[in-house]
């Protein structure tokens, strides 16, 4: 009888433990469905980035000067770009912003196509850059530049295409994308609209191969004036370059979302 009492007490204790661990409604009550990973906002999108010029363009004037067809007229293959009074080149600035932007876009799920692979090369010509992005079937593209304006002038300008054949079908969408770029630059950066170029931060251009030959929505952004000492001091800072890239990523996301 003593051993049976011990076994009985052990069995009762085990049953009580089970009752504590298992809810009265059954084990399935504690099983929660695992939420599916959130879909990145730019998953399935292809984004083109054209960082203007290149770090060694200055080494080969003959290459830069040979003529290409920009969709409306003949122009030079490319230029060296500008630089600050301290020698910080536009090509370097454009590349840095593009690299930050590419990283942001990849984190957001996009496939990114660049028109050059570094800042220690020559070219490619502006018509080739347009073809690289067109052949990639990018959903949207951005050309990144900085300007050389009057030393007293400051601000960014969004350059928009004019209907010129290949780009006829994307003029309206390019203008909508330009509005998104304009809005996000104002929201996310300290750079204001240009006070010397365009009107309220916009200008239409029909003489640029990148805009004339595009088959997807595209604008060119002059991020600021490297000839202005105060603005140049901002543009060379990595933190400012990152904020410009973040503003462009936000503009691209907003545009592709249709907002």
């Amino acid at each position: 009888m003593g051993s049976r009492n011990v076994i009985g007490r052990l069995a009762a204790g085990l049953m009580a433990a089970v009752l504590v661990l298992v809810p009265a409604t059954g084990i399935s009550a504690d099983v929660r469905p695992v939420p599916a990973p959130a879909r990145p906002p730019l998953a399935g999108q292809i984004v083109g980035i054209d960082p203007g010029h290149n770090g060694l363009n200055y080494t080969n004037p003959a290459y830069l000067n040979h003529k290409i067809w920009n969709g409306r007229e003949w122009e030079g293959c490319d230029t060296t770009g500008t630089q600050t009074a301290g020698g910080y080149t536009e090509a370097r600035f454009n590349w840095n912003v593009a690299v930050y932007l590419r990283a942001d876009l990849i984190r957001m799920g996009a496939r990114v196509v660049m028109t050059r692979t570094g800042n220690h090369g020559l070219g490619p010509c502006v018509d080739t850059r347009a073809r690289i992005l067109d052949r990639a079937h990018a959903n949207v593209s951005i050309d990144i530049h900085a300007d050389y304006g009057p030393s007293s002038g400051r601000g960014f300008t969004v350059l928009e295409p004019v209907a010129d054949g290949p780009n006829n079908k994307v003029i309206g969408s390019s203008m909508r994308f330009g509005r998104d770029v304009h809005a996000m630059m104002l929201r996310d950066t300290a750079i204001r609209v240009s006070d010397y170029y365009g009107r309220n931060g916009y200008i239409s251009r029909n003489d640029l191969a990148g805009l004339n030959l595009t088959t997807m929505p595209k604008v060119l952004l002059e991020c600021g004036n490297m000839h202005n000492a105060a603005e140049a001091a901002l543009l060379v800072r990595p933190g400012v370059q990152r904020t410009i890239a973040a503003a462009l990523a936000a503009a691209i996301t907003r545009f592709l979302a249709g907002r």
Side-chain angles (χ1 to χ4, degrees), residues 39 41-47 109-112 137-140 252 256-257:
R39 180 177 170 84
L42 296 181
Q45 303 284 359
I46 304 172
V47 179
R111 182 165 77 85
V112 179
H137 303 291
N139 300 103
V140 66
I252 289 166
L256 291 174

Side-chain angles (χ1 to χ4, degrees), residues 60-248:
N60 196 330
Y63 174 80
L64 297 183
N65 291 334
H66 85 265
K67 299 302 180 183
I68 58 91
W69 182 250
N70 72 7
R72 180 179 290 268
E73 59 189 2
W74 295 97
E75 68 168 297
C77 158
D78 201 353
T79 67
T80 60
T82 188
Q83 62 182 25
T84 69
Y88 192 104
T89 68
E90 179 195 353
R92 179 181 173 188
F93 167 82
N94 299 340
W95 175 251
N96 287 350
V97 173
V99 169
Y100 293 135
L101 176 58
R102 177 179 62 184
D104 288 345
L105 295 173
I106 289 173
R107 281 194 296 269
M108 300 167 79
R111 182 165 77 85
V112 179
V113 179
M114 303 271 278
T115 59
R116 55 181 171 111
T117 58
N119 194 45
H120 303 288
L122 182 66
C125 294
V126 287
D127 61 331
T128 301
R129 293 169 185 255
R131 284 196 294 270
I132 289 170
L133 301 181
D134 290 343
R135 290 171 180 169
H137 303 291
N139 300 103
V140 66
S141 292
I142 182 77
D143 293 353
I144 300 171
H145 285 258
D147 197 21
Y148 187 88
S151 60
S152 61
R154 297 188 68 168
F156 72 84
T157 308
V158 177
L159 280 60
E160 299 177 322
V162 174
D164 202 23
N167 65 10
N168 286 0
K169 294 181 179 179
V170 296
I171 298 300
S173 53
S174 293
M175 293 179 70
R176 181 165 65 83
F177 177 46
R179 291 193 294 271
D180 290 334
V181 170
H182 189 283
M184 296 301 100
M185 284 291 289
L186 287 177
R187 190 191 75 175
D188 295 342
T189 80
I191 304 172
R192 303 298 87 183
V193 298
S194 176
D195 56 16
Y196 68 93
Y197 182 43
R199 183 174 181 180
N200 191 32
Y202 296 99
I203 192 168
S204 297
R205 292 287 296 267
N206 66 1
D207 58 341
L208 302 174
L211 298 181
N212 292 356
L213 300 176
T214 186
T215 57
M216 86 285 299
K218 182 196 281 188
V219 297
L220 185 154
L221 177 65
E222 295 282 10
C223 297
N225 182 11
M226 286 191 151
H227 193 203
N228 178 282
E231 194 144 272
L234 289 176
L235 295 176
V236 302
R237 290 169 52 187
V240 172
Q241 295 167 4
R242 288 190 180 95
T243 62
I244 292 172
L248 294 179

